[in-house]
């Protein structure tokens, strides 16, 4: 067996395989574990065989050498950088130091200069299945030894291999215990789930027609189940007439090879209440007699939710069609009004952000209504120096989209021509709710101050202005008044509080 020497010793700290080695070590979950008899026996055996006062099973992580088992030392760990064993980590070969006081690598080591005044060291690598060294089995003496022979090195390595085998066995046992623990927890959780989910169990004697119940049968089939539903015929009387044939067919199929009982049906309780039941189970034989055993689950709420989901899906499809139609219209009209490709890209990106802003807020709630405050607050994330105040108002999806587009156009214009084009410019958005002749009105005021160059006349009208007017007048059924003051634009928007759909 090859031995490392002072000339061929590499640096273990810079080994590119070090991260993988540490991962391998951690997979055994052994660092800082309690003493274990099997490892203590191995260290005592090594000390006895080699007549050494010191023996240890050492595991080496990124900072320390930790002794899983040790004889002759009163400590459980040392710093990695002073350990003899670190020399073995990268070389993956046994290391023999016959006289540490004469070895330039170790003569200044605290283990040599101080207790235990180590002179002789022999260590063999503990090698994992992937070929990486996670530790060592080593022996030490306070006296130098010049007669440690190659057969003894082989014997020490054999014992180190036994240590590795015990570590593998320990990990496998730990994994099995964890699997058993997890299986027990899963069984307990399953039992609890069945109890909390109103699940009934049943066993039907297919010859005599007798029916035995378990679990939450009274919650599923009715409070009189134990007294009145003790036969197959009695249970079928409670099944909805239109579903009885399907249940009979499912029961017959359960007797075929590779088949099981699976049926969804309605039952009608004595109170007149109708429930949906999912029954499933298997055909079994007991003492040569056929039985059908399984579970019944009340799926009434699930069926109702499925119907509701269909309605929601249709509504979502309708809204998505509207959104794509709006998007297509915006892209087409923006293209017509753009002065260049860069202008088109800039304008369309802003309008797409406005649509996304509204849709994200709707998605964060219920996709039907959203918060006006959240919409304005999100706008301020893209445009600085915008301040706002107003009461919390919930508005429907179409109003959210329209207001998002309006605010985006106002902010875009302000960044090009208005208050946001100047570092000193500010914008304040305020809204209130006022009583109207027929319905409450939302009053939203956009007020700019600090325009870099006050405008005597507004910018030329274009698609942006048309989009604002159409959104306010057409979609919100409101009105908009623009006032181009010397200090900046003031825009007052009034529209009825939108009605919220159920």
């Amino acid at each position: 067996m090859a031995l490392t020497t002072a000339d061929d010793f590499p640096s273990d700290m810079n080994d590119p395989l070090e991260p993988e080695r540490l991962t391998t070590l951690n997979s055994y979950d052994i660092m800082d574990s309690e003493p274990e008899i099997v490892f203590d026996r191995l260290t005592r055996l090594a000390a006895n065989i080699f007549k050494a006062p010191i023996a240890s099973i050492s595991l080496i992580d990124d900072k320390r050498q930790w002794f899983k088992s040790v004889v002759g030392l009163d400590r459980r760990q040392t710093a990695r950088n002073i350990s003899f064993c670190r020399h073995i980590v990268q070389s993956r070969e046994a290391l023999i130091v016959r006289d540490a006081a004469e070895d330039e690598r170790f003569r200044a080591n605290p283990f040599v200069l101080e207790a235990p005044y180590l002179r002789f060291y022999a260590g063999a690598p503990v090698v994992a299945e992937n070929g990486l060294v996670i530790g060592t089995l080593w022996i030490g003496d306070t006296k130098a030894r010049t007669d440690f022979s190659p057969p003894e090195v082989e014997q020490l390595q054999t014992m180190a291999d036994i240590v590795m085998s015990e570590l593998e066995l320990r990990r496998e046992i730990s994994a099995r215990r964890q699997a058993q623990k997890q299986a027990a927890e899963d069984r307990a959780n399953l039992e609890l789930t069945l109890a909390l989910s109103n699940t009934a169990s049943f066993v039907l004697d297919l010859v005599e027609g007798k029916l035995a119940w378990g679990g939450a049968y009274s919650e599923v089939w009715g409070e009189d189940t134990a007294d009145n539903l003790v036969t197959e015929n009695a249970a079928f009387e409670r099944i909805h007439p239109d579903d009885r044939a399907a249940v009979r067919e499912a029961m017959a199929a359960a007797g075929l090879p590779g088949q099981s009982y699976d049926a969804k049906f309605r039952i009608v309780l004595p109170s007149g209440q109708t429930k949906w039941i999912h029954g499933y189970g298997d055909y079994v034989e007991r003492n040569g007699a056929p039985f059908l055993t399984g579970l019944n689950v009340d799926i009434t709420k699930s069926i109702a939710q499925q119907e509701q989901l269909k309605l929601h899906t249709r509504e979502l499809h309708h809204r998505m069609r509207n959104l794509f139609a709006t998007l297509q219209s915006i892209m087409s009209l923006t293209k017509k009004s753009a002065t260049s490709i860069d202008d088109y890209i800039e304008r369309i990106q802003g309008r797409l952000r406005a649509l996304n802003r509204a849709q994200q807020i709707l998605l964060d709630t219920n996709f039907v209504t959203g918060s006006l405050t959240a919409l304005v607050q999100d706008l301020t994330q893209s445009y600085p120096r915008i301040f706002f105040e107003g009461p919390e108002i919930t508005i429907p999806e179409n109003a959210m989209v329209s207001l998002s587009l309006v605010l985006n156009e106002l902010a875009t214009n302000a960044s090009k021509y208005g208050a946001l084009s100047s570092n000193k410019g500010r914008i304040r958005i305020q809204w209130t709710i006022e009583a109207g002749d027929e319905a409450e009105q939302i009053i939203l005021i956009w007020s700019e101050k600090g325009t870099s160059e006050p405008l005597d006349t507004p910018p030329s009208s274009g698609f942006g202005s048309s989009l604002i007017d159409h959104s306010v007048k057409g979609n919100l059924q409101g009105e908009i008044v623009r006032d181009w003051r010397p200090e900046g634009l003031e825009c007052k928007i009034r529209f009825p509080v939108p009605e919220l759909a159920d």
Side-chain angles (χ1 to χ4, degrees):
M1 175 176 290
L3 304 179
T4 59
T5 66
D7 295 329
D8 61 13
F9 168 64
S11 172
D12 65 303
M13 302 301 288
N14 298 322
D15 189 344
L17 294 177
E18 180 66 5
E20 183 181 356
R21 191 193 72 81
L22 292 174
T23 300
T24 302
L25 172 62
N26 292 334
S27 71
Y28 290 93
D29 192 26
I30 194 168
M31 297 296 284
D32 298 310
S33 60
E34 294 296 323
E36 297 176 57
I37 294 176
V38 63
F39 297 108
D40 290 341
R41 285 175 177 170
L42 286 171
T43 51
R44 288 197 299 268
L45 181 62
N48 291 334
I49 289 176
F50 299 107
K51 296 179 175 56
I54 302 171
S56 174
I57 296 171
S58 298
L59 301 170
I60 303 170
D61 64 15
D62 58 333
K63 296 179 181 178
R64 58 186 174 138
Q65 168 185 245
W66 180 74
F67 305 142
K68 172 59 182 173
S69 178
V70 63
V71 173
L73 293 177
D74 58 358
R75 63 185 74 182
R76 292 301 301 274
Q77 64 183 22
T78 70
R80 172 172 170 164
N81 62 353
I82 66 169
S83 89
F84 283 50
C85 299
R86 65 184 282 264
H87 295 250
I88 302 175
V89 167
Q90 190 176 36
S91 69
R92 307 187 187 104
E93 296 177 347
L95 172 66
I96 309 301
V97 181
R98 303 184 187 282
D99 190 347
E102 299 298 328
D103 192 315
E104 63 180 9
R105 296 171 294 177
F106 305 109
R107 62 179 54 169
N109 191 289
F111 261 51
V112 178
L113 299 178
E114 304 170 6
Y117 302 102
L118 197 65
R119 295 288 296 277
F120 171 75
Y121 170 92
V126 175
V127 185
E129 291 181 345
N130 59 4
L132 299 176
V133 176
I134 63 173
T136 65
L137 171 64
W138 64 275
I139 60 172
D141 201 337
T142 57
K143 298 177 182 179
R145 292 190 186 185
T146 59
D147 57 348
F148 201 74
S149 64
E152 288 176 304
V153 177
E154 292 286 352
Q155 191 173 11
L156 183 64
Q157 183 61 64
T158 299
M159 296 186 69
D161 293 340
I162 294 174
V163 171
M164 189 67 249
S165 298
E166 290 296 335
L167 287 173
E168 290 288 355
L169 180 60
R170 180 184 184 277
R171 182 168 65 172
E172 182 178 349
I173 292 174
S174 178
R176 289 182 179 180
R177 287 175 178 172
Q178 184 61 34
Q180 292 172 351
K181 179 181 179 182
Q182 187 62 50
E185 291 178 356
D186 290 343
R187 285 195 297 271
N189 289 336
L190 177 60
E191 293 176 0
L192 179 61
T193 299
L194 291 176
L196 296 178
S197 61
N198 291 332
T199 300
S201 63
F202 68 89
V203 177
L204 173 61
D205 186 331
L206 294 175
V207 175
E208 298 185 3
K210 294 181 179 180
L211 189 58
W213 296 97
Y217 56 85
S218 60
E219 287 82 0
V220 177
W221 283 81
E223 295 180 355
D224 65 332
T225 300
D227 296 328
N228 298 332
L229 304 186
V230 295
T231 65
E232 178 183 353
N233 291 336
F236 264 85
E237 286 296 322
R238 190 152 294 183
I239 296 175
H240 193 285
D242 294 343
D243 297 339
R244 292 171 186 169
V247 175
R248 291 285 187 193
E249 183 178 346
M251 291 175 60
L256 300 176
Q259 299 295 315
S260 60
Y261 168 64
D262 194 332
K264 293 181 180 179
F265 54 92
R266 291 163 292 177
I267 62 173
V268 182
L269 302 185
S271 63
Q273 177 188 3
T274 299
K275 288 185 176 182
W276 274 96
I277 305 298
H278 184 190
Y280 51 93
D282 291 295
Y283 174 90
V284 297
E285 288 189 3
R286 298 179 179 176
N287 298 323
F291 288 84
L292 183 64
T293 179
L295 301 173
N296 288 155
V297 181
D298 185 349
I299 59 170
T300 306
K301 290 183 179 180
S302 176
I303 295 294
Q305 289 171 353
Q306 290 176 16
E307 293 300 319
Q308 191 66 28
L309 179 60
K310 292 179 182 178
L311 294 175
H312 288 169
T313 302
R314 287 197 293 267
E315 175 66 16
L316 178 60
H317 178 68
H318 172 71
R319 293 182 183 278
M320 292 303 295
R321 288 182 59 187
N322 288 344
L323 176 61
F324 284 124
T326 300
L327 179 60
Q328 184 178 17
S329 176
I330 288 175
M331 293 179 67
S332 177
L333 294 174
T334 301
K335 179 181 178 182
K336 293 179 180 179
S337 62
T339 58
S340 66
I341 293 179
D342 291 341
D343 181 50
Y344 172 77
I345 293 175
E346 180 182 356
R347 291 174 180 270
I348 201 66
Q349 283 180 339
R351 287 159 186 163
L352 289 178
R353 282 195 299 268
L355 286 175
N356 180 67
R357 185 178 297 120
Q359 297 302 323
Q360 186 59 54
I361 294 172
L362 291 166
L363 184 62
D364 289 342
T365 51
N366 54 22
F367 207 74
V368 178
T369 60
S371 164
L372 175 57
T373 301
L375 183 65
V376 176
Q377 187 174 22
D378 193 73
L379 178 72
T380 64
Q381 303 301 314
S382 300
Y383 294 93
R385 303 193 307 280
I386 294 181
F387 305 90
F388 63 91
E389 61 179 339
E392 182 63 49
I393 301 176
T394 299
I395 55 179
E397 178 256 353
N398 59 336
M400 285 285 292
V401 172
S402 297
L403 280 175
S404 184
L405 290 171
V406 169
L407 293 174
N408 178 74
E409 294 301 323
L410 290 172
T412 300
N413 289 337
S415 65
K416 292 184 176 182
Y417 315 111
L420 297 184
S421 65
S422 168
N423 291 332
K424 298 181 179 180
R426 298 288 186 272
I427 295 176
R428 180 170 294 278
I429 304 175
Q430 297 173 285
W431 65 88
T432 58
I433 298 179
E434 298 180 359
D437 295 335
E438 297 182 358
E440 290 185 320
Q441 302 280 313
I442 295 177
I443 313 298
L444 187 147
I445 299 176
W446 173 284
S447 180
E448 300 184 25
K449 290 186 179 181
T451 302
S452 57
E453 296 181 2
L455 300 174
D456 295 329
T457 58
S460 59
S461 61
F463 174 61
S465 298
S466 299
L467 179 59
I468 292 175
D469 291 339
H470 176 73
S471 297
V472 173
K473 298 177 182 179
N475 296 341
L476 297 175
Q477 303 299 310
E479 59 183 24
I480 178 172
V481 177
R482 299 176 177 88
D483 183 7
W484 295 92
R485 303 171 302 168
E487 64 271 21
L489 170 66
E490 180 176 284
C491 186
K492 186 175 183 179
I493 301 172
R494 176 191 295 269
F495 59 96
V497 175
E499 295 183 0
L500 301 180
D502 293 336

